[in-house]
Structure formats: structure tokens, C-alpha cells
Amino acid sequence: DGLAAWLRYARVPSASRHLGKLPSAVVTLNATKGYPVHTAGQELVDGIGGLFGKKLTVAKSKPKGTTATVGTVSAYVDKNPSAAKGLPDLVEDGFYLKISKGNVLILGQNERGALYGAFHYLSVIAQGNVSDFTLTSNPDAPVRWVNQWDNMQDGGTHGSVERGYGGDSIFFWDGHIREDLTRAGQYARLLASIGINAVVANNVNANASILTPENMDGLARIADVFRPYGVQLGVSLNFAAPQLLGGLDTFDPLDKTVVNWWQGIADNLYKRIPDMAGYLVKANSEGQPGPMTYNRTLADGANLFARTLRPHGGIILFRAFVYDHRSLNQTLDWKADRANAAVNYFDGLDDKFEDNVVIQIKYGPIDFQVREPVSPLFTHLRRTGATVELQITQEYLGQQAHVVYLAPMWKELLDFDLRVDSKPSTLKSIVSGKRFGQKLTGYAGVVNVGTNTTWLGSHLAMSNLYAYGKLAWDPEQTSTGILKEWTTLTFGHDKLVHDVITKISMESWPAYEDYSGNLGIQTLTDILLGHYGPNPGSQDGNPWGQWTRADDDTIGMDRTVWNGTGFAGQYPPEIAAMYENIETTPDNLLLWFHHVPYTQKLKSGKTVIQHFYDAHYKGSATAQTFVTLWEKLKGRIDKERYEHVLFRLIYQAGHSLVWRDSVNQFYFNKSGIPDELGRVGNH
Ligand code: GCU
């Protein structure tokens, strides 16, 4: 069942041997149907039933025999005042688990935490561990959101998903909210099991029509199917809605009628959805309207919404992805650089935002490339909290037709030390709020599941969604550890299945980088046609600013302060100095920061051009091995998933050759420098 993903509750090996170590009944404390503690009780019954074939019942008070008790700390302490002393401190959404001889105690700081604890316990026993343990688990950051880029309407006919590769929207159809929201509820269940607490259902390129009374009613129905899982709904706004929908002649954020209009919207939404999470706003970016349309600052824009949300307890995630895709001129301006935009726009605003504003920053300064340095904006916001925006949908990374396990890339970014004030300042310590002490910080993941029964269009791609939730909860977890859990829950316990999936997954990001864009030149996908497939030539000579500045002799963006766009100078001094100097810039970001001849020597001793040739052969050769590795699993997993994955791996193997040859040939044609091994050239 693809829809169940990692929540299949398939029978564990030798299940009957473990029955004595499991509870015999479930007790829920103060459970109300439609709320997480009630859901937790149901999941325990379903989970233990599926995993071990043991039928449990839900009881109100303590029955005879071993029990699983689940509820909030406060409900538990009400009933057992003397137990309060022994309980650990929990932060919002945190949980406490105590497993002892078949008795299970699952307490959440809130209802949502109780459900998280139940899912955690089920995950542990599904992995075959029924031994006693005690665990206190608190999330690393409070904001753990998912963004869907689902369109309300697409030519008025149906709900497509921008950069979605798994079918149509599970939320929208024909400009309305779908009648049948079963899939939305199933999605919330998956998300709750990995600690995600909110979903923005509509695209950041937002339709104003999401705010009609009828669609607000529809949004309330989405919130209703999310609520049992503790998942809150967020809404993306179109900044010009007062004009587009409200009939006002302005959307100036400081205009009184505009402020009142937005207050009415917030009040109307919260009347229908009292627990709404808040808003997500993309403004003044890629042609979207925003406060700068009226010469107001981005803070004026964000605060407008923040103030209307405050009485209701909502927060606004305001995106830092602000740039003008029409103003950049590559030929005339050596110093033009889209990477500079975010810091340029946000500098000086740190202390201007309301305290329920969070700035949502893409991990890199450009746009979800296969390798980017961490966005320097994270070091410029010390009072205002930030979320890091990661992309689960593989927009530039093979669109789920290529396997690319992303946890290793995310870990590298999160572990990167930005050295603010020359002190340890990893990205993860900034987005947890620990480094600068902000309250509202965390993670936003662009997921883009659709109606496809695999959710993302590929079974293996689901490890990325799983890993996203796990890292947002605890970024100390390892890529392989997360993968092992996911593989057991999704495919079972067979060692060969584990070995193969681990090998393919862990080699996949390096291989993809090798056969796409190397040395920090960006992914080299076709940038105008869907961000898919190789097209190095499309990078330059357009206003989008994802340039490589490749000519016959040289390549790379000079982002130094002394001679280039100055981007390197947006980092704290130690990091700025590292990137400013070609000697200390790591090879894998060389062309991100420096403009060099193709014959420039890398630290490896190779030239840039020879590295290109070799990496493309290496990466595509690795992709060929994925097929033969996977074929070893024939008969070891169900035919349907075996073949679904195999089909994609064969495609990836072939497409990696297309990548190899087009990129190599392109740079050979430009540079005229032959491959030392004679593979590339005029055949
Ligand atoms: C990318 C993507 C767009 C998206 C934009 C954003 O550029 O291709 O589809 O709208 O990012 O994040 O806003």
C-alpha cells in the first residue's frame, strides 16, 4: 500500500514471540474524538494489531493486565498527582515514553506531543525492539512546517501542483477545495508521524481567490481533516488580494482600508479555523506583488499580516526569496548578482519585524541547486527568527525520476559553521533559535505530494520526506540512521534490501552532482524549460541570474569583494575570508565564488575541465550500478514496488548518460580542450 508509506504496520518477523512484552489494552486520558490523543489510541490499536497481530481495546479507566496509557502530562498529573515529580521537562510538542514489562506510558506536553510519542513507540516496536526503555524527546525547533505549492486553479480546470511530480493536488480541484479530502487526512497522518505540525496547502504564488467565503469554508474542511493529527493549516497569501479580490483601488500595506480589509480576512479565517497556524507570504519576487510596489519596506509588508494575526495567536512566515527577475543584466554588469538580493533587501530590517514574523530562507542564496553555500542571510537576522527552507520535491534534482537521497546534503548545510562573531554558529544552531535566542525558528519543507499513490511519484523519494521531518525534530540524527529506520518501516527487515537501498541512497547525491553541475557551477538543468535535463547553455544571457559566465576560456561567477559581485563579503569575516581567497575556497564551491580559466588547477591536482570530464563519467557510471544492485532484490520485495523502482532506475541510468555527454560535449565545444582520456571530443 503506497499510501501508507512508512506507516504500513506490516507484520514483524516472529511477531508471536513478543506478545508478552506488549500492552494488552490502551487507556487514553481525556480523549476527544477528532483530537490527537484519541487518534493516538486508535494508532496504537491499529499498529499493534498490524505489527504483531495482537488485538487491543481502548479503555477509559485502567483495565487488568498490561496497558498503554496515552495523554498529556497535565491529564496524567491530574489523575496521579504524586507522579508529577518524576516527570521530565517537556517543551511544546515534546513527549515522554516509559516502557516497562509491557506497560507503556506515553505523555505529551500537549495532545500533539502525545500522538508523536505514540508514533515513536510504534516505530520502535515496528523495528523489532520490544525491550524496556525510557525516553524524553523534545523538538529542536517549534516551526516544523510543510509547504505545498498547490494551485487553486489551472486555467479554471483542475488543481495542478507547481514543481509537483506526483500528480494533481490532493486539496484543490477546479478552483475549489475538493469535496473528498481523504487523501489530505492521510497526508496529515504521515506528517504527524514525523513531527510536522503545520501545512500550507496552497502555492506561494498564491491565488487571491483562496480567500472567497466559499473557499474559506473549504479551508476549514481541510483544517478539520488535519486536526485529529495535530497538524495545523497555514495559508499562502497574494499581496494584492485587497485589489484583486476586495475591489479596493490599492494594496498599499500602510493604507487604512487595506489594513482593515486584511483584518477582516484574518477574523473570518479564525472564525472558521480557530487553530489556524498562520500565513506564508511570497512578496516582490518573480513578478509577485508586494510592499515595495508602494515603496514600503518588506517589514511594512510582513508586519501588516503579523498584526492582523496577533489577536488570534497566528504567525507569519515571510519569505526571503525576494529578487527581481527582470532587472539583472549579465552582459553590462560584472557585479550584478542575484545571490546578493536577499541580504540587500533584508539588511537593516532585523529589528523592524513584529515578534510573530519569521523569515523563511532558502538554504542557499540562489534556488535549490545541487550544491550551494549556506545563505548568508542567516547571519544577518539575530533578533528576528528564521526558518530554513528545504525542498523535498526534487525540482532541480531529477524530479523524482532520479533517486537523490537528500539527507546528506541537508546535514552538510545544517552542520556548516557560519562563525558569527567568530563563535561556533552552525546553521542548525541558528534555526533552532539556540545561537541567537529567538523563540520562533525552525524548518519549512517544500514537499508537493500529489494524488499519485506513491505520493511523490517514486517510492524511494519518500525517504526524503521522512528524513526532512526527522531532521527538523533532531538535526543530530545521521543520514544512514534515518534511512535504516525508513527502510525497515517501508520495506521490512531483509538485510539485502537494506544493503542495496543504503548503497544506492548514499551514493545518489554525489553521483547526481557528478553527472550534473560540478564545482559549485549549479545544477545546469534547463533553466527555462521546467528545470529538468541538461542545458548548460541556458544558464547565461538571461535575466534570471543563475549564471555561470562560461566563455571559450573561462567559467564561474566572481563573487569576491575585491574583483567581483561582493557576495562573499555578506558572510561573517572568517567565512568571507575563506571564500574570498581562491586558495581556501573548497573545490566543490570554486566556481560559485571564482571566475577561472578551464585550466585552473584544483586542490586535487586536476584542471577544472578535466574534473568536469572525469566527474561526469564517474557519476553516470555509478548510476548504471543502481540498476544491477536493485535487480538483486527481485522476489525480496513485492512485485509492484520492485518494478516501479526498477523502471525509474533504468531511466536514470540512461538519462545520466545523456547528462554526461551533453555537459562534457558542451564544455569541450566551448573550450576546445581535449579530455586526457580521449573520451570527449570530435568523434
Ligand atoms: C523556484 C521555482 C518556482 C517557485 C520559486 C519560489 O524558482 O522554480 O516555481 O515559485 O522557486 O520558491 O517561489
Side-chain angles (χ1 to χ4, degrees):
D1 178 2
L3 289 178
W6 56 82
L7 292 179
R8 303 164 71 83
Y9 298 147
R11 193 62 48 89
V12 304
S14 355
S16 56
R17 285 215 326 258
H18 302 304
L19 300 184
K21 295 203 165 155
L22 297 167
S24 307
V26 176
V27 176
T28 54
L29 306 173
N30 292 354
T32 311
K33 196 167 173 350
Y35 289 85
V37 169
H38 184 266
T39 310
Q42 282 310 316
E43 288 292 334
L44 289 166
V45 171
D46 295 349
I48 294 173
L51 292 164
F52 294 93
K54 185 168 180 178
K55 283 211 169 20
L56 271 57
T57 46
V58 181
K60 282 235 163 54
S61 58
K62 195 175 169 2
K64 284 212 181 72
T66 52
T67 55
T69 303
V70 57
T72 62
V73 171
S74 60
Y76 184 68
V77 170
D78 275 353
K79 287 210 168 61
N80 314 276
S82 63
K85 275 203 295 337
L87 297 174
D89 283 340
L90 296 177
V91 306
E92 192 179 356
D93 297 350
F95 62 85
Y96 171 70
L97 275 182
K98 189 172 174 202
I99 323 295
S100 160
K101 301 194 183 72
N103 283 304
V104 179
L105 180 62
I106 305 172
L107 299 179
Q109 186 271 348
N110 51 14
E111 287 221 15
R112 191 190 284 142
L115 177 60
Y116 292 170
F119 275 125
H120 188 89
Y121 169 66
L122 287 167
S123 161
V124 170
I125 60 175
Q127 291 169 66
N129 178 4
V130 289
S131 47
D132 292 354
F133 71 95
T134 309
L135 171 76
T136 302
S137 187
N138 284 312
D140 203 53
V143 181
R144 301 179 307 282
W145 287 26
V146 149
N147 296 176
Q148 283 283 137
W149 287 355
D150 295 29
N151 293 317
M152 284 294 296
Q153 59 200 118
D154 187 19
T157 50
H158 58 275
S160 59
V161 181
E162 180 157 338
R163 315 301 179 189
Y165 314 106
D168 289 326
S169 172
I170 60 172
F171 300 109
F172 308 118
W173 189 256
D174 202 11
H176 307 283
I177 285 73
R178 282 181 185 274
E179 277 310 312
D180 182 353
L181 290 170
T182 313
R183 288 290 300 269
Q186 290 166 330
Y187 187 34
R189 175 171 176 255
L190 286 179
L191 295 177
S193 75
I194 52 171
I196 300 299
N197 55 14
V199 175
V200 178
N202 63 315
N203 195 351
V204 285
N205 298 314
N207 254 280
S209 65
I210 189 92
L211 300 175
T212 63
E214 187 218 331
N215 282 336
M216 285 198 208
D217 290 342
L219 289 174
R221 288 191 293 109
I222 297 178
D224 289 344
V225 301
F226 282 178
R227 193 166 294 110
Y229 298 98
V231 174
Q232 291 172 268
L233 179 71
V235 182
S236 274
L237 302 179
N238 184 310
F239 204 90
Q243 197 174 66
L244 297 171
L245 183 72
L248 304 186
D249 57 10
T250 175
F251 55 89
D252 178 352
L254 299 189
D255 184 287
K256 193 99 186 51
T257 57
V258 170
V259 174
N260 289 340
W261 191 84
W262 281 116
Q263 188 64 59
I265 292 293
D267 297 346
N268 275 309
L269 281 166
Y270 277 87
K271 198 157 67 196
R272 292 167 168 88
I273 313 169
D275 56 355
M276 197 178 84
Y279 295 147
L280 173 65
V281 175
K282 170 178 181 178
N284 290 118
S285 170
E286 303 185 325
Q288 292 293 341
M292 297 191 308
T293 315
Y294 292 92
N295 282 324
R296 309 301 188 192
T297 67
L298 294 171
D300 292 329
N303 291 341
L304 162 70
F305 302 114
R307 291 180 189 126
T308 66
L309 290 170
R310 168 152 312 107
H312 305 287
I315 66 174
I316 164 175
L317 269 54
F318 193 79
R319 291 179 91 225
F321 186 66
V322 178
Y323 76 102
D324 183 350
H325 66 291
R326 290 157 306 201
S327 72
L328 296 168
N329 190 320
Q330 180 176 8
T331 337
L332 295 180
D333 189 356
W334 179 251
K335 291 186 189 271
D337 189 359
R338 169 172 161 188
N340 283 337
V343 168
N344 285 348
Y345 283 123
F346 281 85
D347 237 7
L349 296 181
D350 185 28
D351 59 359
K352 300 276 188 300
F353 292 102
E354 296 283 337
D355 61 8
N356 54 342
V357 176
V358 184
I359 307 302
Q360 178 165 317
I361 309 172
K362 288 190 185 185
Y363 60 80
I366 295 280
D367 197 11
F368 301 134
Q369 299 300 298
V370 71
R371 169 126 6 221
E372 296 194 39
V374 171
S375 168
L377 184 58
F378 288 105
T379 67
H380 291 246
L381 297 171
R382 307 205 187 175
R383 205 193 127 269
T384 304
T387 51
V388 57
E389 185 175 314
L390 303 175
Q391 202 185 36
I392 289 84
T393 188
Q394 297 166 231
E395 177 177 353
Y396 292 89
L397 301 184
Q399 308 194 349
Q400 279 96 290
H402 293 229
V403 173
V404 183
Y405 178 51
L406 293 167
M409 174 171 107
W410 296 335
K411 290 279 294 181
E412 248 186 73
L413 296 159
L414 292 167
D415 287 343
F416 186 76
D417 186 350
L418 289 147
R419 306 295 303 163
V420 178
D421 298 335
S422 296
K423 293 198 188 102
S425 312
T426 53
L427 177 59
K428 67 190 172 196
S429 73
I430 294 176
V431 296
S432 71
K434 290 188 188 98
R435 177 64 182 86
F436 300 128
Q438 308 100 325
K439 284 211 181 63
L440 283 175
T441 57
Y443 293 78
V446 180
V447 182
N448 296 357
V449 299
T451 51
N452 189 284
T453 50
T454 62
W455 293 101
L456 283 169
S458 142
H459 292 287
L460 294 187
M462 290 297 272
S463 61
N464 287 326
L465 178 52
Y466 187 83
Y468 167 67
K470 290 286 159 174
L471 289 175
W473 186 272
D474 175 12
E476 298 307 326
Q477 297 188 63
T478 64
S479 303
T480 46
I482 292 171
L483 189 65
K484 186 164 186 283
E485 257 172 56
W486 173 82
T487 306
T488 309
L489 300 175
T490 308
F491 288 104
H493 299 254
D494 185 326
K495 180 157 182 324
L496 189 63
V497 173
H498 276 255
D499 290 347
V500 166
I501 291 180
T502 304
K503 194 165 164 57
I504 292 177
S505 303
M506 294 308 291
E507 289 181 356
S508 61
W509 173 49
Y512 189 84
E513 182 178 25
D514 277 342
Y515 64 72
S516 62
N518 315 133
L519 306 175
I521 196 62
Q522 305 174 93
T523 317
L524 304 180
T525 56
D526 193 306
I527 86 148
L528 301 173
L529 298 174
H531 301 170
Y532 189 73
N535 192 347
S538 72
Q539 313 295 305
D540 290 299
N542 61 62
W544 290 93
Q546 295 181 217
W547 304 326
T548 68
R549 290 198 185 268
D551 59 25
D552 291 355
D553 305 306
T554 55
I555 183 168
M557 282 291 287
D558 186 339
R559 292 190 158 110
T560 61
V561 174
W562 79 275
N563 189 47
T565 73
F567 169 77
Q570 293 187 342
Y571 289 92
E574 283 179 43
I575 305 300
M578 173 176 77
Y579 290 145
E580 181 76 12
N581 183 344
I582 201 163
E583 299 299 321
T584 51
T585 303
D587 280 351
N588 60 25
L589 285 172
L590 180 76
L591 303 178
W592 185 283
F593 285 102
H594 301 281
H595 184 75
V596 300
Y598 291 106
T599 51
Q600 173 79 24
K601 278 259 166 59
L602 301 172
K603 295 186 182 57
S604 67
K606 281 184 193 176
T607 60
V608 163
I609 190 76
Q610 193 58 40
H611 180 95
F612 271 28
Y613 295 150
D614 291 349
H616 282 83
Y617 273 90
K618 179 162 167 267
S620 58
T622 303
Q624 312 307 306
T625 68
F626 294 170
V627 176
T628 32
L629 280 167
W630 188 258
E631 279 169 342
K632 292 188 189 171
L633 303 187
K634 188 161 189 185
R636 286 177 179 258
I637 58 180
D638 52 284
K639 192 162 176 284
E640 194 184 322
R641 288 189 292 173
Y642 172 78
E643 281 175 1
H644 199 270
V645 173
L646 181 62
F647 179 86
R648 277 157 187 73
L649 290 176
I650 292 172
Y651 172 84
Q652 178 175 6
H655 201 218
S656 72
L657 300 177
V658 175
W659 267 100
R660 178 192 77 187
D661 293 345
S662 1
V663 174
N664 280 349
Q665 194 66 36
F666 179 86
Y667 289 107
F668 172 76
N669 290 348
K670 268 214 175 306
S671 69
I673 301 173
D675 166 28
E676 283 166 10
L677 298 180
R679 296 159 299 189
V680 188
N682 304 313
H683 298 297

